Amino acid sequence: MKVSSRLTNITGGGSGGWDLFNRARAMKQSGIPVTELTIGEHDTPTDPSILNAMHAAALAGHTGYTTIGGLAPLRERVAQRVEARTGVATGPENVLIVPGGQAGLFAALMATCEPGDTALYIDPYYATYPGTIRAAGAVPKPVKARSRHGFQPAGEDIDAAADSAAALLINSPNNPTGAVYSGRTLADIAEVCARREMWLISDEVYDTQVWSGTHVSSRALPGMAERTLVVGSMSKSHAMTGSRIGWIIGPQEAIAQIANLTTHTTYGVSGFTQMAACHALDRGEPFEAQIAAPFRRRRDMVMAQIAAQNVVRAIPAEGAMYVMLDLRATGLSGDAFANLLLDTHHVAVMPGESFGAAAAGHVRVALTVDDARLETAIAQLLDLAAHETVPNPG
Ligand code: PMP
């Protein structure tokens, strides 16, 4: 029997740039020691205190169906956290608990786009974005951000693409580029959204990983609380990727309608996971800083290695657990370079092309192995880039 085109069209037919990732995994399985700097997952498991809270909650009876929008204590805590971090008045009625940021992205797109509507997203982009837009029945349209502008998108480029677009999806701190959108970038985005009457979907799952600059939540910009849905998650901030817990923040009416969607899709998030999330949030900012610390340290280390040579250029890694490297001086595509690096040094990085045309000639390095291994891998990468670069005559 034929599967619906709604599903078969989600990926747009391509490999989604996973060829290199799959090749690295296959090499590893065949016994080759590959250093994987590919996916954004902490090199430490979820903290035992969170797991103990989960265990205790399950034993205490939190094993049944839960209220669809999320347990009251968790909605309350998330609302307080958002209000404290952004200054925007936020109550539990503005919060919907969902099974991870990815589920939040899908629900936010369902909430903002009619079937066939255009949804804009910024290229380079997190790998699932175009597929998630298609899954929600909308049409993805990329807006290029430029390497030479540190991958900050320009308001006029968004405006030029915005004809009849229903929503704009942004992500800051950004995966894959490490950019943290400046006040100017966000003000321009807010201005275009308001003038074009677009929803803004703001993916802020890396909001605790900011190394320079300041993270401003789009919802805090003047006039934006009414047209913004913020997607948050505990995956990155609390090293809880496998727990599948996140949220959507938005206007009360939209949140109530999205709750109706979750009644017909996920049917909520397990109570023991939500109680563990309450425990994790109660550990406060010091715990979040502790989870973020290794990435800050490794980012500083890698930036120092890059600064000591002049072939590879780093996009200023202002946030998130990645560094984007510009390898165009080698004359190789990101894909060719990443494959060569895997073959020569058994180091796996993601080709920039897998995140969109705007990242061609770049690779993304995830800072997700221990410092010593990362330092060696970066040294090998820089060495390869230097060898591949034809010296400038004269
Ligand atoms: N948005 C971005 C930018 C991400 O990098 C990720 C995970 N890699 C997600 C959303 C989804 O995260 P989760 O579903 O684990 O919360």
Side-chain angles (χ1 to χ4, degrees), residues 197-240:
E197 298 209 350
M198 283 190 294
W199 278 96
L200 181 62
I201 302 173
S202 183
D203 177 345
E204 301 183 15
V205 306
Y206 292 98
D207 70 344
T208 61
Q209 299 183 357
V210 180
W211 323 131
S212 69
T214 318
H215 168 69
V216 177
S217 176
S218 309
R219 192 167 159 263
L221 297 171
M224 289 307 285
E226 284 312 304
R227 57 172 65 254
T228 304
L229 296 176
V230 174
V231 174
S233 168
M234 300 192 64
S235 286
K236 314 292 174 173
S237 56
H238 293 76
M240 292 178 70

Short mmCIF file of all heavy atoms in Angstrom, two decimals, residues 197-240:
data_model
loop_
_atom_site.label_atom_id
_atom_site.label_comp_id
_atom_site.label_asym_id
_atom_site.label_seq_id
_atom_site.Cartn_x
_atom_site.Cartn_y
_atom_site.Cartn_z
N GLU A 197 2.74 41.19 9.29
CA GLU A 197 1.75 40.40 10.03
C GLU A 197 2.09 38.91 10.03
O GLU A 197 1.26 38.05 9.73
CB GLU A 197 0.35 40.64 9.48
CG GLU A 197 -0.05 42.09 9.62
CD GLU A 197 -1.53 42.30 9.78
OE1 GLU A 197 -2.29 41.34 9.60
OE2 GLU A 197 -1.91 43.42 10.12
N MET A 198 3.35 38.62 10.32
CA MET A 198 3.80 37.23 10.40
C MET A 198 3.91 36.81 11.87
O MET A 198 4.27 37.62 12.73
CB MET A 198 5.20 37.08 9.79
CG MET A 198 5.25 37.07 8.30
SD MET A 198 6.90 36.59 7.70
CE MET A 198 7.92 37.94 8.25
N TRP A 199 3.68 35.55 12.11
CA TRP A 199 4.04 34.96 13.40
C TRP A 199 5.56 34.79 13.43
O TRP A 199 6.18 34.50 12.40
CB TRP A 199 3.44 33.57 13.54
CG TRP A 199 2.02 33.51 13.99
CD1 TRP A 199 0.93 33.40 13.18
CD2 TRP A 199 1.54 33.51 15.34
NE1 TRP A 199 -0.21 33.33 13.95
CE2 TRP A 199 0.14 33.39 15.28
CE3 TRP A 199 2.15 33.60 16.59
CZ2 TRP A 199 -0.65 33.36 16.41
CZ3 TRP A 199 1.37 33.58 17.72
CH2 TRP A 199 -0.02 33.47 17.64
N LEU A 200 6.12 34.90 14.62
CA LEU A 200 7.52 34.55 14.80
C LEU A 200 7.58 33.30 15.67
O LEU A 200 6.96 33.25 16.74
CB LEU A 200 8.28 35.69 15.49
CG LEU A 200 9.77 35.47 15.71
CD1 LEU A 200 10.51 35.30 14.38
CD2 LEU A 200 10.39 36.62 16.50
N ILE A 201 8.29 32.29 15.18
CA ILE A 201 8.54 31.11 16.01
C ILE A 201 10.02 31.18 16.39
O ILE A 201 10.90 31.19 15.52
CB ILE A 201 8.23 29.80 15.24
CG1 ILE A 201 6.77 29.81 14.78
CG2 ILE A 201 8.54 28.58 16.11
CD1 ILE A 201 6.41 28.65 13.85
N SER A 202 10.28 31.30 17.68
CA SER A 202 11.64 31.54 18.14
C SER A 202 12.14 30.31 18.90
O SER A 202 11.68 30.02 20.00
CB SER A 202 11.65 32.78 19.05
OG SER A 202 12.95 33.08 19.45
N ASP A 203 13.05 29.59 18.26
CA ASP A 203 13.61 28.37 18.85
C ASP A 203 14.76 28.80 19.77
O ASP A 203 15.81 29.23 19.28
CB ASP A 203 14.09 27.47 17.71
CG ASP A 203 14.76 26.19 18.19
OD1 ASP A 203 15.13 26.10 19.36
OD2 ASP A 203 14.94 25.27 17.35
N GLU A 204 14.53 28.68 21.07
CA GLU A 204 15.52 29.17 22.04
C GLU A 204 16.06 28.03 22.91
O GLU A 204 16.35 28.21 24.09
CB GLU A 204 14.89 30.30 22.87
CG GLU A 204 14.43 31.46 21.98
CD GLU A 204 13.84 32.66 22.73
OE1 GLU A 204 14.02 32.77 23.95
OE2 GLU A 204 13.20 33.49 22.05
N VAL A 205 16.20 26.84 22.30
CA VAL A 205 16.60 25.68 23.10
C VAL A 205 18.04 25.79 23.62
O VAL A 205 18.42 25.08 24.54
CB VAL A 205 16.40 24.33 22.36
CG1 VAL A 205 14.97 24.18 21.86
CG2 VAL A 205 17.38 24.15 21.22
N TYR A 206 18.84 26.72 23.04
CA TYR A 206 20.22 26.89 23.52
C TYR A 206 20.37 28.13 24.41
O TYR A 206 21.47 28.67 24.54
CB TYR A 206 21.18 27.00 22.33
CG TYR A 206 21.31 25.70 21.55
CD1 TYR A 206 20.58 25.49 20.39
CD2 TYR A 206 22.14 24.68 21.99
CE1 TYR A 206 20.67 24.29 19.69
CE2 TYR A 206 22.24 23.48 21.30
CZ TYR A 206 21.50 23.30 20.15
OH TYR A 206 21.60 22.11 19.48
N ASP A 207 19.27 28.57 25.04
CA ASP A 207 19.33 29.86 25.73
C ASP A 207 20.26 29.90 26.94
O ASP A 207 20.59 30.97 27.43
CB ASP A 207 17.93 30.36 26.10
CG ASP A 207 17.26 29.55 27.20
OD1 ASP A 207 17.72 28.42 27.48
OD2 ASP A 207 16.27 30.03 27.78
N THR A 208 20.71 28.75 27.42
CA THR A 208 21.66 28.76 28.54
C THR A 208 23.11 28.66 28.06
O THR A 208 24.02 28.64 28.87
CB THR A 208 21.39 27.61 29.53
OG1 THR A 208 21.56 26.37 28.82
CG2 THR A 208 20.00 27.70 30.13
N GLN A 209 23.30 28.54 26.75
CA GLN A 209 24.65 28.39 26.21
C GLN A 209 25.03 29.65 25.44
O GLN A 209 24.99 29.68 24.22
CB GLN A 209 24.74 27.15 25.31
CG GLN A 209 24.41 25.87 26.07
CD GLN A 209 24.57 24.63 25.21
OE1 GLN A 209 24.86 24.70 24.03
NE2 GLN A 209 24.37 23.47 25.81
N VAL A 210 25.37 30.68 26.17
CA VAL A 210 25.73 31.96 25.56
C VAL A 210 27.13 32.32 26.06
O VAL A 210 27.35 32.45 27.26
CB VAL A 210 24.73 33.06 25.95
CG1 VAL A 210 25.11 34.39 25.31
CG2 VAL A 210 23.32 32.67 25.53
N TRP A 211 28.07 32.46 25.12
CA TRP A 211 29.47 32.68 25.51
C TRP A 211 29.88 34.14 25.36
O TRP A 211 30.76 34.62 26.04
CB TRP A 211 30.42 31.79 24.69
CG TRP A 211 29.89 30.43 24.37
CD1 TRP A 211 29.87 29.84 23.13
CD2 TRP A 211 29.31 29.49 25.27
NE1 TRP A 211 29.31 28.60 23.22
CE2 TRP A 211 28.96 28.35 24.51
CE3 TRP A 211 29.03 29.47 26.63
CZ2 TRP A 211 28.35 27.22 25.07
CZ3 TRP A 211 28.42 28.35 27.19
CH2 TRP A 211 28.10 27.25 26.43
N SER A 212 29.27 34.84 24.41
CA SER A 212 29.52 36.27 24.30
C SER A 212 28.26 36.91 23.77
O SER A 212 27.42 36.24 23.18
CB SER A 212 30.72 36.56 23.40
OG SER A 212 30.41 36.24 22.07
N GLY A 213 28.12 38.21 23.99
CA GLY A 213 26.85 38.85 23.64
C GLY A 213 25.80 38.47 24.67
O GLY A 213 26.09 37.81 25.68
N THR A 214 24.57 38.87 24.42
CA THR A 214 23.49 38.58 25.38
C THR A 214 22.35 37.93 24.62
O THR A 214 22.01 38.38 23.52
CB THR A 214 22.94 39.90 25.98
OG1 THR A 214 24.05 40.75 26.27
CG2 THR A 214 22.15 39.65 27.24
N HIS A 215 21.79 36.90 25.20
CA HIS A 215 20.62 36.30 24.58
C HIS A 215 19.39 37.12 24.93
O HIS A 215 19.09 37.33 26.11
CB HIS A 215 20.42 34.86 25.05
CG HIS A 215 19.08 34.31 24.67
ND1 HIS A 215 18.75 34.05 23.36
CD2 HIS A 215 17.99 34.01 25.40
CE1 HIS A 215 17.51 33.61 23.30
NE2 HIS A 215 17.02 33.57 24.52
N VAL A 216 18.70 37.60 23.91
CA VAL A 216 17.43 38.31 24.13
C VAL A 216 16.33 37.44 23.55
O VAL A 216 16.41 37.01 22.40
CB VAL A 216 17.44 39.69 23.42
CG1 VAL A 216 16.10 40.39 23.58
CG2 VAL A 216 18.56 40.55 23.97
N SER A 217 15.32 37.15 24.37
CA SER A 217 14.20 36.38 23.85
C SER A 217 13.34 37.29 22.98
O SER A 217 12.98 38.39 23.38
CB SER A 217 13.36 35.84 25.01
OG SER A 217 12.22 35.18 24.50
N SER A 218 13.02 36.79 21.77
CA SER A 218 12.25 37.61 20.82
C SER A 218 10.93 38.10 21.42
O SER A 218 10.43 39.16 21.08
CB SER A 218 11.90 36.79 19.58
OG SER A 218 13.04 36.20 19.08
N ARG A 219 10.38 37.29 22.31
CA ARG A 219 9.09 37.62 22.91
C ARG A 219 9.18 38.89 23.76
O ARG A 219 8.16 39.54 24.03
CB ARG A 219 8.68 36.42 23.77
CG ARG A 219 7.25 36.44 24.25
CD ARG A 219 6.88 35.07 24.80
NE ARG A 219 5.74 35.19 25.70
CZ ARG A 219 5.83 35.27 27.01
NH1 ARG A 219 7.02 35.24 27.61
NH2 ARG A 219 4.74 35.39 27.74
N ALA A 220 10.40 39.25 24.16
CA ALA A 220 10.58 40.43 25.02
C ALA A 220 10.64 41.73 24.21
O ALA A 220 10.63 42.81 24.79
CB ALA A 220 11.86 40.27 25.84
N LEU A 221 10.70 41.62 22.88
CA LEU A 221 10.78 42.84 22.08
C LEU A 221 9.41 43.51 22.04
O LEU A 221 8.38 42.83 22.08
CB LEU A 221 11.26 42.49 20.67
CG LEU A 221 12.66 41.90 20.61
CD1 LEU A 221 12.97 41.39 19.22
CD2 LEU A 221 13.70 42.93 21.03
N PRO A 222 9.41 44.85 21.95
CA PRO A 222 8.13 45.57 22.00
C PRO A 222 7.12 45.02 20.99
O PRO A 222 7.45 44.85 19.81
CB PRO A 222 8.54 47.01 21.63
CG PRO A 222 9.99 47.10 21.94
CD PRO A 222 10.56 45.74 21.77
N GLY A 223 5.94 44.73 21.47
CA GLY A 223 4.85 44.28 20.59
C GLY A 223 4.92 42.84 20.14
O GLY A 223 4.05 42.37 19.40
N MET A 224 5.97 42.10 20.55
CA MET A 224 6.16 40.76 19.99
C MET A 224 5.49 39.64 20.80
O MET A 224 5.28 38.54 20.28
CB MET A 224 7.66 40.45 19.84
CG MET A 224 8.32 41.23 18.72
SD MET A 224 7.48 41.06 17.12
CE MET A 224 7.98 39.40 16.65
N ALA A 225 5.16 39.89 22.07
CA ALA A 225 4.60 38.80 22.90
C ALA A 225 3.33 38.23 22.27
O ALA A 225 3.06 37.04 22.38
CB ALA A 225 4.33 39.30 24.32
N GLU A 226 2.58 39.07 21.55
CA GLU A 226 1.30 38.63 20.97
C GLU A 226 1.47 37.85 19.67
O GLU A 226 0.52 37.24 19.19
CB GLU A 226 0.40 39.86 20.73
CG GLU A 226 -0.22 40.39 22.00
CD GLU A 226 -0.84 39.28 22.86
OE1 GLU A 226 -1.70 38.54 22.33
OE2 GLU A 226 -0.43 39.13 24.02
N ARG A 227 2.66 37.93 19.07
CA ARG A 227 2.82 37.23 17.78
C ARG A 227 4.00 36.26 17.79
O ARG A 227 4.48 35.86 16.73
CB ARG A 227 2.94 38.22 16.63
CG ARG A 227 4.09 39.22 16.75
CD ARG A 227 4.26 40.03 15.48
NE ARG A 227 3.13 40.87 15.18
CZ ARG A 227 2.22 40.64 14.22
NH1 ARG A 227 2.35 39.62 13.43
NH2 ARG A 227 1.22 41.47 14.04
N THR A 228 4.46 35.92 18.99
CA THR A 228 5.64 35.04 19.08
C THR A 228 5.30 33.76 19.82
O THR A 228 4.66 33.79 20.88
CB THR A 228 6.80 35.76 19.81
OG1 THR A 228 7.09 36.98 19.13
CG2 THR A 228 8.05 34.90 19.83
N LEU A 229 5.76 32.65 19.28
CA LEU A 229 5.74 31.39 20.02
C LEU A 229 7.19 31.00 20.26
O LEU A 229 7.97 30.87 19.31
CB LEU A 229 5.03 30.29 19.21
CG LEU A 229 3.54 30.52 18.92
CD1 LEU A 229 3.00 29.41 18.02
CD2 LEU A 229 2.72 30.58 20.22
N VAL A 230 7.57 30.88 21.52
CA VAL A 230 8.94 30.50 21.86
C VAL A 230 8.97 29.00 22.13
O VAL A 230 8.12 28.48 22.86
CB VAL A 230 9.45 31.26 23.11
CG1 VAL A 230 10.83 30.75 23.53
CG2 VAL A 230 9.51 32.76 22.84
N VAL A 231 9.93 28.32 21.52
CA VAL A 231 10.11 26.89 21.77
C VAL A 231 11.31 26.72 22.70
O VAL A 231 12.39 27.23 22.42
CB VAL A 231 10.31 26.13 20.45
CG1 VAL A 231 10.64 24.66 20.71
CG2 VAL A 231 9.07 26.25 19.57
N GLY A 232 11.08 26.06 23.83
CA GLY A 232 12.16 25.79 24.78
C GLY A 232 12.27 24.31 25.06
O GLY A 232 11.39 23.53 24.68
N SER A 233 13.35 23.91 25.69
CA SER A 233 13.59 22.49 25.90
C SER A 233 14.57 22.31 27.05
O SER A 233 15.39 23.18 27.30
CB SER A 233 14.18 21.89 24.63
OG SER A 233 14.68 20.60 24.86
N MET A 234 14.49 21.17 27.71
CA MET A 234 15.48 20.87 28.74
C MET A 234 16.59 19.97 28.21
O MET A 234 17.49 19.58 28.94
CB MET A 234 14.79 20.24 29.95
CG MET A 234 13.77 21.23 30.51
SD MET A 234 13.10 20.84 32.10
CE MET A 234 14.53 20.93 33.15
N SER A 235 16.53 19.66 26.91
CA SER A 235 17.53 18.77 26.32
C SER A 235 18.94 19.31 26.51
O SER A 235 19.83 18.63 27.01
CB SER A 235 17.26 18.58 24.83
OG SER A 235 16.15 17.76 24.62
N LYS A 236 19.15 20.57 26.08
CA LYS A 236 20.51 21.12 26.09
C LYS A 236 20.83 21.76 27.43
O LYS A 236 21.94 21.61 27.93
CB LYS A 236 20.64 22.18 24.97
CG LYS A 236 20.08 21.75 23.63
CD LYS A 236 20.86 20.63 22.99
CE LYS A 236 20.14 20.16 21.72
NZ LYS A 236 20.89 19.20 20.93
N SER A 237 19.87 22.48 28.02
CA SER A 237 20.15 23.23 29.25
C SER A 237 20.38 22.31 30.45
O SER A 237 21.11 22.66 31.36
CB SER A 237 18.99 24.18 29.56
OG SER A 237 17.77 23.47 29.63
N HIS A 238 19.75 21.13 30.45
CA HIS A 238 19.84 20.24 31.60
C HIS A 238 20.35 18.85 31.24
O HIS A 238 20.23 17.93 32.04
CB HIS A 238 18.48 20.13 32.30
CG HIS A 238 18.05 21.43 32.94
ND1 HIS A 238 17.56 22.49 32.21
CD2 HIS A 238 18.10 21.85 34.23
CE1 HIS A 238 17.30 23.51 33.04
NE2 HIS A 238 17.62 23.15 34.26
N ALA A 239 20.92 18.72 30.04
CA ALA A 239 21.43 17.42 29.58
C ALA A 239 20.36 16.34 29.73
O ALA A 239 20.60 15.28 30.31
CB ALA A 239 22.72 17.04 30.32
N MET A 240 19.18 16.62 29.20
CA MET A 240 18.06 15.67 29.31
C MET A 240 17.52 15.31 27.92
O MET A 240 16.31 15.19 27.72
CB MET A 240 16.94 16.28 30.17
CG MET A 240 17.32 16.43 31.64
SD MET A 240 16.02 17.20 32.63
CE MET A 240 14.75 15.92 32.66
#
